[in-house]
Amino acid sequence: MSTKFRAGMLALSVSAALGTAPAYAFDDASAEEVEKIVVVGSRAAPRSIADSAVPVDIVGGDELSKSGSSDMLDQLVSTVPSFNVRAQPISDAATLIRPVNLRGLSSDSTLVLLNGKRRHRASVIAFQGGGVNDGAQGPDISVIPSVALKQVEVLRDGAAAQYGSDAIAGVMNFVLKDDADGGSISVKRGEFYEGDGATTTVDGNIGLPFTDDGSINLSFQLKNADATSRSVQRPDAQGLADAGNAAIQDPAQIWGNPEIEDDITLFGNVLLDLDNDKEFYMFGNYSERDVTGGFYYRNPHNRSNVYSIDGGETLLVGDVAQAIEGAERTCAVVPANVPNVLDTDDYKAMVADPNCFSMNQIFPGGYTPQFGGNITDTSLTVGTRGDVSTGFLKDWYFDLSASVGRNESKFFLKNTLNPSLGLETPTDFDTGSYIQLEKTFNFDLVRAVEVGLDEPLNVATGLEFREESFEIISGEEASWKAGDYADQGFNIGSHGFKGFGPEAQGRNDRRNWAAYLDLEAYLTEDFMVGTALRWEDFNTFGSTTNYKLTAQYSMTDEISLRASTSTGFRAPTVGQANVVNTATSMVNGELIQSFTAPPTDPLASFYGGKELTPEESESYAMGIVYSSGDFFLTIDAYSIEVTDRIAQSSQITVRAEDHEELRSLGVQNPELISAVTYFANDFDTTTQGVDVVANYSMELMGGDTQFSLAYNFNETEVDKFDPDTVDEGKVRRLEEGMPDQRATFTMSQSWDDVSAFVRMNYFGEYYATHADDTSEWGSETADSAFTFDAEVSYFFSDSITLTLGANNIFDQEAEELKDGTYGVLGAQYYESGPFDYNGGFYYGKVTYKF
């Protein structure tokens, strides 16, 4: 980095303590250079991506919009080499808020910032999170629309010593637009080649002056997306239909993307220049959406604890007198191992007896529950920053801020029943809510101090206080009540997702303090070093101290070397320590009721649950940067060792011989719980990989051409695990569940009136599973695959642009399920694939800029 450039950028260091640049006006000549400036990874002057001692990707807001999807998660996948996200078709709460991965680690191992401030996490916990995300509770990135963003900065390096808990894999900083004038509005419409999943998105942005010395930038997005279906009719359902059961649907269950309704997001960003070189800022959001997805089909002959308790040999028949009056059982046995039980004389006689019933009388063709939720996300950050002109802090730059973030998920279940209530059961249920609330206060200081080096030593320090709470609100009584027929073997609570009962309701809180010191200096004009030290103290499990060392050496004007080493940690979330949930899981092709309990709950403790402690990590990275003219290349290798990783355990069978002892411990109806899971510090991993990022610009075909490559090799090895709570299948998913190799290659072309791009995506081999079933029956190694995206835009004028494009233009299919498995799963593809199983998607967009 030249001395001239460093001196110019030092004027921006006032923002570094927070990690986001204030609003400065730049002329057009410098706009392109400014876009290459990042503020994450260092608390000194913002640096160009070539001069950063750690790898950082910059994705502009316009670049994010070059995708058929309006979901921020999908938009980032094609631009950041080690960023992964998957669709979650039938995965309980993970269907509502999809978890993400950076460098092969769980979604809550990446710290998310908005304008440099910590973003609150979502209330949803991914109970079925595709192996690597099982039990993860990360922020809901999907609420952030690209129209609101100036750029996204992705720090691919451990940074817990700089920014705190969760930054084991890296940091993502979403920088909001702050223009004081201009704006845009656009309408996008698209659907999949199959003719479903139609999505309509309307978004807009406007910049307004705020007095003579400030700005207000406002953005909105409204989206609706139809559900998709990549289903096949289950043979068991078809067999019942062929035998004369007229209540069978075709298909019996829908396997595909959920329906998203009224997805509205509002973002605002306010800046105001105050007197005495100080600035006021405020930003926040309100977001809300309704999501409805599907569950698995319940067969009316053999679904356990609903239609049968002996595997379908006989129907489960309720005896009213026995339940209400304690009378002797009089209901006769009804054989169910027949083509259509509804046509048998035994069934008809049972129905005619007012003392006897079965769930077939409510759902004669079986049923497929619909699971959904209303997700509301709000946040607000207020602060002031500027130069201290008097007192003992004179010549320091300060940043004082307060943030609050809240995410609530209200769950519902339709087209199901509470079998223990008998024929009086409702079929729709409000099952309760999760609420995540976080409050954060920051005070940061930064100053350049002359110490006789080539440049002043940058000193940054600060304090942080955070309070986090996780609250469970109970559902309606019918969703959790143990009815009169529970003792006869009928399942308790809304089937598929049991409502939260009064015993689960409550709020748990945690508070922590943090202090850090960050030093960075050029020892010579070409050699920069930095160090950070952070101490945090939690009221629940004590304190932790972490460090980071970075260095960059410029060998020539074109080539530089960089390296870093750090320790890190991830505190268990309050939700992971206290969550309660009952859901349906797939094990060896069979659907079972699995209960998630807090690790200190009597049921979890009986099977080995213990108080959670933080994960700890050690990271090492080194890389090379080459920049010459219009060519730019970075190669970075990394290794991340994580000990005591927190995740949801595998399903632990609740044994019949343990029922009496569990009852004595206060566990209610243990005979109706097939398996229990809980969160535990149960394994250690080492993740190693290489990131390659390259860009080249040139003139071609009478226009401007840019080539860009992003490649990631990532490999995780489980070093140690507890075989009592982590099975071999989970280990294999952690090690092989995502492709070892991922790459995107993009060619962009622009002329005066037209711009276009073509993008190739490569996904290596991976271990494919479905519904968390890792048995030989339901899993296999999937082949590598290529997909291609393309888009063309025509500029009718400076104001109006028409865009047409498609993702997966050649309709590359996802990995198909094995023969024999689709009958149970009712789907065509494995759900754990790295790219969209729905196939090709085409879209059109009209944009008006003003």
Side-chain angles (χ1 to χ4, degrees):
M1 181 190 290
S2 70
T3 303
K4 178 181 178 180
F5 180 79
R6 289 199 301 267
M9 290 313 302
L10 190 58
L12 291 179
S13 66
V14 292
S15 68
L18 173 63
T20 181
Y24 284 91
F26 296 96
D27 58 31
D28 293 339
S30 64
E32 182 177 350
E33 181 183 34
V34 170
E35 288 177 355
K36 298 179 182 179
I37 302 303
V38 296
V39 292
V40 293
S42 170
R43 292 184 182 271
R47 304 189 183 282
S48 71
I49 55 177
D51 290 308
S52 173
V54 289
V56 181
D57 299 304
I58 296 181
V59 187
D62 291 339
E63 179 69 21
L64 287 169
S65 64
K66 292 180 178 180
S67 169
S69 176
S70 297
D71 191 311
M72 177 59 64
L73 304 180
D74 297 320
Q75 293 170 343
L76 285 167
V77 165
S78 60
T79 54
V80 179
S82 56
F83 185 82
N84 290 274
V85 65
R86 291 170 172 166
Q88 303 281 344
I90 302 181
S91 298
D92 292 334
T95 302
L96 310 182
I97 298 177
R98 295 186 293 161
V100 302
N101 309 103
L102 186 66
R103 287 188 163 177
L105 297 176
S106 61
S107 65
D108 46 13
S109 293
T110 299
L111 177 61
V112 175
L113 309 176
L114 182 66
N115 277 0
K117 297 297 186 182
R118 176 183 285 266
R119 182 78 176 161
H120 61 280
R121 66 183 78 252
S123 55
V124 160
I125 298 175
F127 295 109
Q128 296 179 11
V132 68
N133 280 313
D134 289 348
Q137 188 186 2
D140 184 5
I141 299 174
S142 67
V143 303
I144 306 174
S146 61
V147 72
L149 295 176
K150 178 191 297 184
Q151 66 185 35
V152 181
E153 303 163 355
V154 183
L155 167 63
R156 293 177 277 113
D157 194 55
Q162 296 169 290
Y163 301 105
S165 176
D166 304 348
I168 287 178
V171 179
M172 303 181 72
N173 183 32
F174 294 83
V175 184
L176 296 175
K177 291 179 180 177
D178 52 18
D179 303 298
D181 56 16
S184 67
I185 187 167
S186 69
V187 179
K188 180 190 287 186
R189 172 77 175 183
E191 67 177 35
F192 290 99
Y193 290 6
E194 293 285 337
D196 57 8
T199 303
T200 302
T201 305
V202 181
D203 63 34
N205 170 266
I206 186 171
L208 301 169
F210 182 40
T211 73
D212 294 333
D213 301 309
S215 65
I216 299 178
N217 195 276
L218 304 173
S219 304
F220 81 92
Q221 178 178 276
L222 175 63
K223 180 172 65 176
N224 285 279
D226 294 341
T228 65
S229 175
R230 299 298 175 266
S231 313
V232 295
Q233 179 63 310
R234 294 168 53 118
D236 59 344
Q238 188 59 50
L240 292 169
D242 293 342
N245 190 325
I248 303 297
Q249 301 293 314
D250 188 9
Q253 73 178 48
I254 301 297
W255 187 89
N257 285 4
E259 180 184 28
I260 301 175
E261 296 181 287
D262 301 326
D263 185 350
I264 179 70
T265 290
L266 305 172
F267 268 82
N269 189 23
V270 178
L271 294 170
L272 179 62
D273 188 23
L274 305 175
D275 294 334
N276 301 319
D277 297 321
K278 294 179 178 59
E279 182 183 49
F280 167 82
Y281 59 90
M282 178 173 67
F283 55 87
N285 78 287
Y286 173 83
S287 306
E288 184 176 4
R289 67 183 181 273
D290 294 311
V291 183
T292 304
F295 270 5
Y296 287 97
Y297 172 66
R298 273 61 174 165
N299 186 295
H301 283 205
N302 58 29
R303 183 64 177 101
S304 61
N305 301 109
V306 180
Y307 291 106
S308 178
I309 54 173
D310 56 13
E313 291 297 316
T314 63
L315 280 190
L316 175 56
V317 176
D319 189 303
V320 177
Q322 182 187 35
I324 304 301
E325 304 170 5
E328 290 293 326
R329 184 174 180 86
T330 61
C331 295
V333 173
V334 179
N337 57 349
V338 296
N340 182 10
V341 71
L342 305 180
D343 285 343
T344 65
D345 291 337
D346 289 321
Y347 176 79
K348 294 175 182 177
M350 182 271 295
V351 172
D353 186 345
N355 185 57
C356 305
F357 68 90
S358 75
M359 293 297 106
N360 305 69
Q361 293 170 250
I362 299 177
F363 290 120
Y367 59 99
T368 302
Q370 288 184 300
F371 173 72
N374 173 268
I375 312 297
T376 304
D377 185 280
T378 56
S379 70
L380 180 66
T381 296
V382 178
T384 184
R385 56 196 171 201
D387 294 322
V388 181
S389 55
T390 60
F392 72 98
L393 292 178
K394 183 180 179 181
D395 298 329
W396 286 81
Y397 183 85
F398 78 94
D399 191 313
L400 178 64
S401 67
S403 301
V404 61
R406 185 180 186 272
N407 185 280
E408 179 176 9
S409 302
K410 297 179 180 178
F411 303 116
F412 62 80
L413 205 58
K414 299 179 179 179
N415 198 52
T416 187
L417 38 76
N418 180 343
S420 70
L421 297 178
L423 298 183
E424 301 301 317
T425 177
T427 57
D428 294 345
F429 302 86
D430 292 324
T431 55
S433 306
Y434 290 150
I435 300 174
Q436 177 76 18
L437 179 64
E438 297 181 29
K439 303 171 186 176
T440 307
F441 299 89
N442 290 94
F443 180 60
D444 301 281
L445 293 166
V446 63
R447 182 183 178 185
V449 180
E450 290 288 351
V451 292
L453 297 174
D454 191 66
E455 278 193 4
L457 171 70
N458 192 85
V459 180
T461 187
L463 299 172
E464 180 180 88
F465 172 76
R466 239 177 350 118
E467 182 178 74
E468 175 184 352
S469 69
F470 181 79
E471 184 175 6
I472 299 176
I473 306 296
S474 63
E476 62 177 300
E477 184 180 30
S479 72
W480 51 262
K481 183 178 180 180
D484 294 330
Y485 303 97
D487 291 339
Q488 297 182 22
F490 285 93
N491 189 84
I492 294 172
S494 47
H495 196 243
F497 190 94
K498 180 175 177 283
F500 310 132
E503 76 287 350
Q505 179 168 295
R507 168 175 163 162
N508 292 276
D509 301 272
R510 183 180 68 200
R511 290 167 296 282
N512 71 286
W513 285 91
Y516 72 87
L517 176 66
D518 194 311
L519 305 175
E520 188 172 299
Y522 276 84
L523 301 183
T524 69
E525 184 176 358
D526 299 319
F527 185 39
M528 185 272 288
V529 296
T531 183
L533 187 68
R534 188 182 186 94
W535 170 85
E536 294 209 23
D537 182 70
F538 294 80
N539 70 315
T540 51
F541 51 76
S543 62
T544 177
T545 302
N546 294 274
Y547 71 87
K548 182 170 184 175
L549 300 173
T550 59
Q552 187 195 42
Y553 177 67
S554 298
M555 301 176 62
T556 68
D557 290 340
E558 298 177 338
I559 301 175
S560 63
L561 304 177
R562 60 190 182 191
S564 67
T565 181
S566 64
T567 61
F569 73 103
R570 185 180 77 78
T573 72
V574 181
Q576 290 170 336
N578 297 282
V579 71
V580 174
N581 184 65
T582 301
T584 303
S585 300
M586 181 78 69
V587 177
N588 294 318
E590 297 291 332
L591 293 174
I592 66 169
Q593 288 291 104
S594 180
F595 179 63
T596 301
T600 55
D601 179 85
L603 177 60
S605 297
F606 183 84
Y607 289 105
K610 299 177 182 178
E611 188 79 38
L612 296 177
T613 59
E615 299 177 350
E616 296 182 349
S617 68
E618 291 186 12
S619 298
Y620 307 90
M622 60 188 310
I624 184 170
V625 180
Y626 178 78
S627 180
S628 176
D630 295 321
F631 181 72
F632 178 75
L633 170 69
T634 64
I635 303 173
D636 293 279
Y638 57 88
S639 176
I640 308 170
E641 299 176 7
V642 187
T643 57
D644 295 328
R645 277 186 66 166
I646 302 167
Q648 189 179 11
S649 70
S650 301
Q651 285 85 8
I652 303 170
T653 301
V654 177
R655 300 180 296 263
E657 58 267 29
D658 297 332
H659 289 170
E660 286 303 320
E661 188 172 353
L662 289 171
R663 285 193 190 92
S664 69
L665 295 173
V667 179
Q668 297 181 353
N669 302 106
E671 67 277 2
L672 298 180
I673 303 173
S674 302
V676 62
T677 69
Y678 53 84
F679 289 90
N681 300 89
D682 269 352
F683 55 96
D684 302 341
T685 62
T686 299
T687 298
Q688 297 178 321
V690 176
D691 289 331
V692 179
V693 177
N695 294 281
Y696 179 63
S697 300
M698 64 180 298
E699 292 184 4
L700 190 66
M701 297 180 289
D704 296 326
T705 306
Q706 184 175 51
F707 300 95
S708 59
L709 168 71
Y711 169 82
N712 171 249
F713 171 80
N714 191 89
E715 188 174 62
T716 294
E717 181 177 349
V718 176
D719 304 316
K720 185 179 70 174
F721 68 96
D722 184 349
D724 292 332
T725 56
V726 179
D727 60 36
E728 293 286 350
K730 186 177 181 69
V731 170
R732 187 176 179 187
R733 295 191 76 182
L734 287 164
E735 294 184 333
E736 305 174 28
M738 289 187 295
D740 282 352
Q741 300 186 68
R742 261 213 53 219
T744 63
F745 179 75
T746 305
M747 175 183 175
S748 302
Q749 184 73 27
S750 62
W751 296 275
D752 290 340
D753 298 325
V754 178
S755 69
F757 77 86
V758 176
R759 180 166 53 227
M760 179 192 74
N761 309 286
Y762 171 73
F763 306 90
E765 291 184 349
Y766 64 96
Y767 177 50
T769 61
H770 195 99
D772 288 344
D773 192 331
T774 58
S775 66
E776 182 66 23
W777 174 87
S779 64
E780 62 181 307
T781 298
D783 295 331
S784 60
F786 289 91
T787 66
F788 293 84
D789 309 326
E791 181 181 283
V792 60
S793 296
Y794 179 73
F795 306 101
F796 285 94
S797 66
D798 291 340
S799 300
I800 300 176
T801 304
L802 173 64
T803 301
L804 299 174
N807 289 352
N808 194 0
I809 57 178
F810 299 120
D811 202 21
Q812 170 67 48
E813 287 192 341
E815 189 75 12
E816 293 187 351
L817 289 165
K818 289 180 180 178
D819 292 340
T821 61
Y822 72 92
V824 174
L825 303 173
Q828 294 176 260
Y829 309 109
Y830 288 100
E831 69 181 18
S832 62
F835 62 92
D836 196 336
Y837 54 75
N838 287 291
F841 181 89
Y842 61 92
Y843 59 92
K845 180 180 179 181
V846 177
T847 302
Y848 174 70
K849 293 185 178 181
F850 53 89

